[in-house]
């Protein structure tokens, strides 16, 4: 059992340290920050401001989308001025699809809270929960789109120096006998002591 646990732990650690794992972790941080922003703004809009479902959803979505945009660029290590057609516009198109889902979820939350005769803090918390569930549901879809489409490296041509790097990584180095002849006898004594 310990061997299986150790292998599973090693596999998960390896996946988490991969390029995909690091990006997923960074995107998770961005998504949590955006989610927290939308939830706080939605609570204010649905609670003290008593806005309609549409306005509450739109304002909270836009607040979270701004946070998501900035932090998604950080997650994929984008620096400098973003490309309007290749990065900014597609991000906001996806965000518009997300806001449609979140608006429907918010309206459902408002209407189902009324059907259940919820009021005050119960109503606000219920609407927050429905909105949050819908937001979490879009998380994986957004990550996949951002990673494999929006922020994907151009797959058409390799980066400069990629061919040389690939050749260097496949070079086995000197023959084993040559390595043995080149090694220092003192190093061999240290290896035997370990």
């Amino acid at each position: 059992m310990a061997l299986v646990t150790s292998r599973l732990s090693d596999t998960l650690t390896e996946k988490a340290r991969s390029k995909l794992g690091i990006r997923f972790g960074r995107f998770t941080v961005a998504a949590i920050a955006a989610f927290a922003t939308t939830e706080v703004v939605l609570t204010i809009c649905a609670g003290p401001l008593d806005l309609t479902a549409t306005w509450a959803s739109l304002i909270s979505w836009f607040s979270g989308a701004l946070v998501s945009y900035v932090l998604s660029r950080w997650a994929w290590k984008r620096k400098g001025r973003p490309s309007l057609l290749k990065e900014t516009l597609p991000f906001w198109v996806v965000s518009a699809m997300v806001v449609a889902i979140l608006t429907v979820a918010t309206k459902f939350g408002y209407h189902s809270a009324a059907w259940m005769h919820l009021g005050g803090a119960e109503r606000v918390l219920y609407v927050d929960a429905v909105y949050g569930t819908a937001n979490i549901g879009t998380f994986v879809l957004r990550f996949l789109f951002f990673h494999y489409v929006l922020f994907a490296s151009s797959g058409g041509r390799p980066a400069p120096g990629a061919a040389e790097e690939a050749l260097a990584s496949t070079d086995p180095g000197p023959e084993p006998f040559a390595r043995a002849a080149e090694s220092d006898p003192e190093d061999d004594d240290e290896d035997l002591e370990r």
Side-chain angles (χ1 to χ4, degrees), residues 39-56:
E39 285 293 323
V40 168
V41 173
L42 181 67
T43 301
I44 293 167
C45 290
L49 296 180
D50 197 27
L51 298 177
T52 65
T54 302
W55 281 109

Side-chain angles (χ1 to χ4, degrees), residues 138-152:
T138 65
F139 169 78
V140 172
L141 296 175
R142 286 181 286 147
F143 174 78
L144 292 173
F145 177 77
F146 291 168
H147 186 71
Y148 291 109
V149 178
L150 185 60
F151 295 122

Side-chain angles (χ1 to χ4, degrees), residues 9-11 34 45 57 64 67 70 79 82 90 96 98 104 111 116 130 149 154 157 162 175 192:
S9 174
D10 291 345
T11 301
C45 290
S57 180
V67 171
V70 171
K79 293 183 171 56
V98 169
V104 169
H111 291 296
M116 294 186 289
V130 170
V149 178
S154 63
R157 28 181 198 173
E175 294 294 340
L192 291 175

Side-chain angles (χ1 to χ4, degrees), residues 42 53 56-57 101-111 127 130-131:
L42 181 67
S57 180
I101 293 168
L102 297 180
T103 301
V104 169
T106 305
K107 286 185 180 230
F108 173 76
Y110 269 62
H111 291 296
V127 170
V130 170
Y131 182 88

